[in-house]
Amino acid sequence: MTSAEHPDLGISGYGFGLPATAQSPVSTEDLQLLEQTMGWTAEDAQLLLRYSPFFQQHADKMVDAWRAVIGEQPHLSQWFFAPDGNPDEEYKARVKRRFVEWVVDVATRPHDRAWLDYQEEIGLRHTPAKKNKTDGRHTPPLVPLRYVLGFLPVVIEIRSFLESEISDPDELRALECAWMKAVHLHVVLWTRPYVTDGLW
């Protein structure tokens, strides 16, 4: 086994909890204050975990829908292109498997140190520090921060996936809200590697 393959899942480049994963400089106290700022609660975590079978079942479909949005916009899809000007299909396939697993992680992973470290790793993989290095590819070395943040509304809008599963409007609203806060928290943590030390 190498550091690029998770021992349990066999997903190339999925390094959750592995020694080669970056170490987040964000303290536990800072994380707790950030969660407090966003209104994240234990009830949110429990609700997502309760619906984790749904996310496991539908993660692939959700990611396909989000990636379709990327594919329709050249200014987003270019970050998956090889130097010859064509999409790097192998790179896209590897990223997709990790993206699908991320959906499951959002619903199931506790916000502990391993989770915090992996958010740092994901953020770094969108910057020149680590983009392409995990997979040994040669796509553009940076996904600009403006697009990481700008894509957030696409990912947090999951009502279309949930409506067929949840008939109770209050439950649906609560799960939507929990998912929104969880994804927003992830993205905020991904921004840290983009920011000059002391400004994040």
Side-chain angles (χ1 to χ4, degrees):
M1 182 192 75
T2 70
S3 62
E5 184 172 296
H6 195 279
D8 298 322
L9 301 174
I11 299 174
S12 178
Y14 179 75
F16 193 105
L18 297 181
T21 298
Q23 293 186 342
S24 174
V26 178
S27 69
T28 300
E29 180 182 7
D30 284 338
L31 173 60
Q32 291 171 344
L33 291 174
L34 182 56
E35 290 176 330
Q36 179 180 326
T37 300
M38 300 176 69
W40 175 258
T41 66
E43 289 74 20
D44 291 321
Q46 291 166 3
L47 187 59
L48 287 172
L49 189 59
R50 188 191 319 154
Y51 281 94
S52 59
F54 165 85
F55 289 105
Q56 291 168 340
Q57 179 181 355
H58 295 279
D60 195 87
K61 182 170 63 175
M62 295 166 75
V63 169
D64 280 345
W66 301 331
R67 283 164 60 96
V69 175
I70 294 173
E72 292 169 355
Q73 303 185 57
H75 67 284
L76 299 179
S77 60
Q78 66 177 309
W79 313 115
F80 295 92
F81 277 44
D84 63 5
N86 295 309
D88 185 331
E89 298 299 339
E90 182 178 349
Y91 178 62
K92 288 172 63 179
R94 291 182 180 186
V95 170
K96 179 186 174 180
R97 288 203 68 196
R98 295 193 292 265
F99 201 174
V100 169
E101 188 57 34
W102 172 79
V103 173
V104 178
D105 285 351
V106 171
T108 61
R109 296 285 189 183
H111 295 175
D112 56 13
R113 176 51 54 180
W115 173 85
L116 193 55
D117 287 343
Y118 201 53
Q119 305 323 304
E120 179 77 6
E121 179 74 18
I122 292 174
L124 285 167
R125 291 183 186 186
H126 288 76
T127 74
K130 284 202 171 183
K131 190 173 186 296
N132 292 316
K133 294 181 180 179
T134 298
D135 299 299
R137 314 311 290 178
H138 300 284
T139 63
L142 169 71
V143 178
L145 179 60
R146 63 186 180 274
Y147 295 128
V148 175
L149 296 173
F151 199 66
L152 181 59
V154 176
V155 181
I156 62 175
E157 178 51 68
I158 61 166
R159 176 173 285 264
S160 62
F161 299 104
L162 297 175
E163 284 179 322
S164 62
E165 303 286 329
I166 304 174
S167 57
D168 183 324
D170 292 334
E171 185 85 350
L172 175 59
R173 193 176 305 109
L175 184 56
E176 281 184 295
C177 187
W179 173 260
M180 178 186 67
K181 287 188 280 187
V183 173
H184 194 177
L185 178 61
H186 281 77
V187 173
V188 168
L189 291 170
W190 297 349
T191 67
R192 200 224 55 81
Y194 286 86
V195 180
T196 303
D197 286 347
L199 294 184
W200 186 80

